């Protein structure tokens, strides 16, 4: 258990970044926090060091990722099909099944030491969902949860045509999180036709611009996401600058 609680979150925004590079960044930040936590176990409480928290917002070139509990049969493209669509494919270490990332989608990777906030992975998942639900409400879109299905959905109540607007898949080790959410904003939804999204065959996928019938300014939306996450976690953000392989904190 942390003896020093740190609710400052370093915000990193690398823009359009290759999935593998972003994955390496996540792993490096996760390892950085882990090393501090393990070292703190050997230190007296009076000299322990606070653990850091990070939030990455980015977009990826076309890529499909398959989680630990997923099935490769949910990818409907072979190697030549992936090449034709200019898409990559990775097996990764998050929970969940298969999903798509691409331009026009806000992908968020919170690398948080949950001991700075709460030690409950289910509460954490619901917190990410609530952040997106509140952001959708800012744009006049009613979104919510479907019992038994992680993520955020449109038409989650009547379920005449339920459609996912945000996928969520996370991993936690030593109470430090990785991976996160993919919120469809100006996304080319045709790329979802080549997978069974999250292994769910009978529900569609949508985007915020599709629901609104107009373009959405992504920087403004990202500000809304950060605003709501700050309220839900009672945290504050510090801006970090990323260059390939490393980041620096402003101020």
């Amino acid at each position: 258990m942390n003896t020093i609680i740190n609710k400052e979150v370093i915000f990193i925004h690398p823009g359009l970044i290759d999935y593998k590079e972003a994955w390496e960044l996540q792993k490096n930040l996760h390892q950085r926090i882990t090393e501090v936590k393990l070292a703190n176990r050997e230190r007296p409480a009076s000299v322990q060091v606070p653990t850091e928290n990070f939030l990455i917002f980015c977009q990826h070139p076309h890529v499909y990722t398959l989680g630990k509990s997923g099935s490769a049969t949910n990818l409907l493209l072979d190697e030549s099909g992936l090449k034709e669509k200019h898409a990559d494919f990775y097996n990764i270490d998050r929970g969940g099944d298969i999903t798509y990332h691409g331009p026009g989608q806000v992908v968020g990777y919170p690398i948080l030491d949950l001991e700075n906030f709460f030690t409950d992975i289910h509460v954490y998942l619901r917190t990410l969902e609530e952040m997106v639900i509140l952001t959708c409400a800012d744009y006049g879109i009613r979104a919510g949860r479907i019992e038994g299905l992680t993520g955020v959905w449109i038409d989650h109540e009547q379920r005449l045509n339920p459609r996912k607007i945000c996928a969520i898949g996370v991993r936690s080790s030593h109470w430090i999180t990785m991976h996160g959410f993919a919120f469809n904003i100006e996304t080319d939804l045709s790329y979802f036709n080549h997978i069974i999204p999250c292994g769910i065959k009978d529900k569609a996928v949508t985007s915020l611009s599709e629901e609104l019938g107009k373009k959405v300014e992504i920087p403004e939306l990202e500000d809304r996401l950060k605003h709501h996450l700050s309220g839900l976690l009672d945290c504050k953000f510090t801006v970090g600058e990323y260059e390939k392989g490393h980041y620096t904190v402003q101020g």
Side-chain angles (χ1 to χ4, degrees):
M1 178 64 68
N2 293 354
T3 58
I4 304 173
I5 300 301
N6 175 28
K7 291 200 171 188
E8 181 178 270
V9 178
I10 300 169
F11 177 64
I12 302 173
H13 195 290
L16 184 68
I17 182 174
D18 181 79
Y19 184 86
K20 190 173 183 180
E21 183 182 340
W23 192 13
E24 287 300 317
L25 175 59
Q26 287 191 73
K27 289 188 284 189
N28 290 341
L29 295 176
H30 189 282
Q31 181 62 27
R32 176 188 177 103
I33 301 170
T34 300
E35 288 174 358
V36 172
K37 291 194 78 167
L38 295 179
N40 277 342
R41 293 180 183 177
E42 308 301 321
R43 296 176 176 131
S46 59
V47 295
Q48 288 191 3
V49 177
T51 53
E52 295 172 301
N53 309 286
F54 299 88
L55 174 64
I56 304 166
F57 277 179
C58 63
Q59 297 183 47
H60 295 306
H62 303 299
V63 62
Y64 296 103
T65 66
L66 181 67
K68 293 184 297 183
S69 57
S71 170
T73 60
N74 289 327
L75 174 64
L76 307 180
L77 294 173
D78 58 16
E79 188 172 340
S80 63
L82 287 169
K83 186 175 181 180
E84 180 183 336
K85 295 296 178 183
H86 305 286
D88 291 322
F89 172 75
Y90 293 102
N91 284 284
I92 60 172
D93 57 352
R94 61 163 168 77
D97 206 290
I98 197 165
T99 195
Y100 161 77
H101 299 310
Q105 184 185 69
V106 174
V107 182
Y109 299 125
I111 317 296
L112 307 176
D113 180 1
L114 289 183
E115 288 192 317
N116 287 320
F117 304 98
F118 45 72
T119 50
D120 189 319
I121 198 66
H122 297 289
V123 171
Y124 174 61
L125 287 167
R126 304 294 84 78
T127 298
L128 295 183
E129 289 170 347
E130 189 66 17
M131 171 190 64
V132 175
I133 290 167
L134 291 171
T135 301
C136 286
D138 289 340
Y139 290 84
I141 298 295
R142 187 174 179 85
R145 303 174 180 86
I146 294 179
E147 187 176 354
L149 299 176
T150 301
V152 178
W153 300 79
I154 308 295
D155 189 23
H156 60 290
E157 294 170 318
Q158 291 187 320
R159 302 187 195 176
L160 299 176
N161 178 28
R163 48 211 183 271
K164 179 178 279 190
I165 197 166
C166 181
I168 295 175
V170 304
R171 174 178 179 263
S172 175
S173 174
H174 301 288
W175 289 115
I176 306 165
T177 64
M178 281 183 63
H179 303 291
F181 66 91
F183 190 0
N184 297 326
I185 312 302
E186 295 278 346
T187 316
D188 181 350
L189 298 176
S190 69
Y191 274 81
F192 287 98
N193 295 334
H194 307 298
I195 60 173
I196 301 173
C198 302
I200 302 170
K201 297 181 179 180
D202 61 345
K203 293 179 175 60
V205 177
T206 190
S207 69
L208 192 58
S209 63
E210 179 81 6
E211 296 297 320
L212 292 172
K214 63 180 183 180
K215 182 176 175 61
V216 176
E217 296 298 329
I218 288 180
E220 177 185 339
L221 177 131
E222 290 176 332
D223 286 343
R224 300 306 305 166
L225 287 168
K226 286 172 61 184
H227 169 75
H228 291 305
L229 188 61
S230 176
L232 292 164
L233 291 180
D234 187 27
C235 69
K236 63 178 182 178
F237 290 102
T238 299
V239 177
E241 290 292 334
Y242 176 76
E243 293 184 9
K244 190 167 185 175
H246 69 278
Y247 77 93
T248 56
V249 180
Q250 293 182 345

